[in-house]
Amino acid sequence: MNTEAILSFEEAMEKYDPVLGFEVHVELNTKTKMFSSAPNVFGDEPNTNVNEVDLGMPGVLPVVNRTAVESSIKIGLALNCKIAESCRFARKNYFYPDTPKNFQTSQYDEPIAYDGYLDIELSDGTVFRVEIERAHMEEDAGKLTHMGGATGRIHGADFSLVDYNRAGVPLVEIVTKPIEGAGSRAPELAKAYVAAIREIVKNLGVSDARMERGNVRCDANVSLRPHGRERFGIRSETKNVNSLRAVEHAVRYEIQRHAAVLDAGNPVVQETRHWHEDTRTTTSGRPKSDADDYRYFPEPDLVPVVPSREWVEELRATLPEPPAARRKRLQADWGYSDLEFRDVVNAGVMDEIEETIAAGASASVARKWWMGEIVGRAKNADVDPGQLGVRPATIVELARMVEEGKINNKMASEVLDGVLAGEGSPAEVVEKRGLAVVSDDGPLLEAIDAALAAQPDVADKIRGGKVQAIGAIVGGVMKATRGQADAGRVRELILEKLGVTV
């Protein structure tokens, strides 16, 4: 358990200014890897999507993936970056078991895109500009799985397994300049920035952008300095944070931890940190390396990449509408009020609602389900809504079953629970759990007779003209049928039975 001292966030803000920096890694969805012809596919059996280049076999030569270069240029343009007239790859040297070549092919002093910016809209509409230092191409490492320990990390594990399927997958790393002036909104800005990057790369079609799969990962750098001081403090870097909520919480926690260290008169250690979602804390990883520790040198097996200006302009012409313009268009198309749409954006379900509408739901139904049922469940599970795994087609099927009277809203909520529990499609859950609206008059009349007999005074009120009292009888019928009665039909039958015309 992490027992490091932290200061309250409010007290930290009274004494210190946070300075942020983000390195967001975006996995590209090319068919093959960055420098080899091996398939770039998620979820296959370990070590099946590899070849000699990925494994660093002697005598093999890399070949640059043209589509990955094209995707990288698109990302740079979408981030308002300058695109290099010539750039080259470098070898970043370090040993780790998931990097079989003992170096990572990356870009160092000559990135493909540089000097950009992104305007980030916060929850109240405030716009904060984040300066982008660079966006460079590189390859991903493999994946280590540590077995036998309690934490899933290397410390305490009995042994480790390595899967090289991810080794060589194309990455674009987006690096910000130091971000100053966010103050107490630093955690919110962190979440909003990563959300904006995810939205951009998804709309460009260059990445699947599924954070739970690691398609978008964030290294969050945090440092503090006392109010009034210009020099930056020592930073820590929380590695590979892969959800929007986690980015927000990690930045908030590191601000509180740094503040406690500085308040105690101790120096902050420049290091990497590991994020623990269960405790919302970080723990120490390793001392943070500087660039010269990696002994960068130009990759001798690859020629420079020289994108022509004509090609760059052709790609610029293919870019989709900017995120801000897209939001305005979607709000107008859906007919949401400013407050409704802002709630949707802040909840992080705009893409999901768009996909649900495209799958056949109305805008109002899509918002009702995502903002009601799904966002609420995500909050209870302390995850992002997209991490629940609800498919737009599921929402459309549930909404249609309600509209057709096969289930009511209460049942639909229970059906959704069954879907999330892995019990199958909505129709399969309805059958397995015996959930269906009782609309046959026979069972309904029996339940109505019992409810009227139990509440004769209510029946007299209804006959006397107080029709609103019918809710008590309907409630009794719903209870008797375990909520499976067609409430509309129940009301009709009660009025018929009591001879009341409305």
Side-chain angles (χ1 to χ4, degrees), residues 18-25 120 128 130-136 173-180 182 185-195 197 217-222 235-238 241 246-248 250-252 255:
V19 178
L20 308 177
F22 302 110
E23 300 160 25
V24 177
H25 298 78
I120 305 300
F128 196 103
V130 174
E131 303 284 346
I132 307 294
E133 179 178 302
R134 57 193 279 141
H136 65 260
E173 180 176 347
I174 303 164
V175 183
T176 68
K177 295 179 181 179
I179 302 168
E180 306 175 61
R185 307 196 74 173
E188 180 189 356
L189 175 61
K191 177 182 178 181
Y193 171 74
V194 178
I197 295 292
R217 313 189 293 270
C218 177
D219 297 342
N221 292 268
V222 173
R235 65 188 171 94
S236 63
E237 180 182 6
T238 305
V241 188
V247 170
E248 181 179 21
V251 167
R252 186 182 184 92
I255 288 172

Side-chain angles (χ1 to χ4, degrees), residues 124-327:
D124 61 354
T126 301
V127 175
F128 196 103
R129 175 161 291 189
V130 174
E131 303 284 346
I132 307 294
E133 179 178 302
R134 57 193 279 141
H136 65 260
M137 299 179 286
E138 61 185 22
E139 60 181 338
D140 211 343
K143 180 181 179 182
L144 287 174
T145 304
H146 305 294
M147 309 297 293
T151 64
R153 301 197 178 276
I154 193 169
H155 301 293
D158 296 327
F159 60 93
S160 299
L161 302 175
V162 62
D163 177 9
Y164 289 123
N165 279 352
R166 197 174 65 185
V169 167
L171 284 180
V172 171
E173 180 176 347
I174 303 164
V175 183
T176 68
K177 295 179 181 179
I179 302 168
E180 306 175 61
S184 62
R185 307 196 74 173
E188 180 189 356
L189 175 61
K191 177 182 178 181
Y193 171 74
V194 178
I197 295 292
R198 185 184 68 170
E199 180 183 359
I200 286 171
V201 299
K202 186 174 182 180
N203 289 345
L204 288 172
V206 300
S207 173
D208 295 338
R210 296 183 60 174
M211 295 190 73
E212 75 277 9
R213 289 186 175 181
N215 299 148
V216 177
R217 313 189 293 270
C218 177
D219 297 342
N221 292 268
V222 173
S223 68
L224 295 185
R225 60 185 177 187
H227 289 305
R229 180 178 294 180
E230 292 187 8
R231 189 180 64 179
F232 294 161
I234 301 298
R235 65 188 171 94
S236 63
E237 180 182 6
T238 305
K239 300 286 288 184
N240 293 324
V241 188
N242 68 345
S243 82
L244 299 179
R245 290 167 65 87
V247 170
E248 181 179 21
H249 295 151
V251 167
R252 186 182 184 92
Y253 176 82
E254 280 297 283
I255 288 172
Q256 295 178 259
R257 186 184 68 83
H258 280 226
V261 171
L262 294 172
D263 257 26
N266 298 320
V268 173
V269 176
Q270 182 172 316
E271 62 180 350
T272 63
R273 306 280 297 184
H274 298 300
W275 172 248
H276 302 278
E277 183 61 40
D278 54 345
T279 59
R280 289 190 183 174
T281 61
T282 66
T283 54
S284 179
R286 58 175 173 80
K288 176 59 181 173
S289 302
D290 291 315
D292 27 345
D293 294 320
Y294 292 116
R295 296 174 290 114
Y296 282 98
F297 66 85
E299 169 56 73
D301 293 334
L302 292 169
V303 299
V305 175
V306 185
S308 70
R309 296 304 90 181
E310 293 78 13
W311 188 30
V312 171
E313 292 310 311
E314 286 174 8
L315 293 177
R316 191 191 303 276
T318 68
L319 296 181
E321 62 187 331
R326 175 173 173 252
R327 290 191 194 101

Side-chain angles (χ1 to χ4, degrees), residues 397-407 437 486:
E397 185 179 352
L398 279 169
R400 186 171 294 128
M401 294 176 79
V402 172
E403 290 171 3
E404 293 174 353
K406 294 179 179 178
I407 57 176
V437 168
D486 181 337

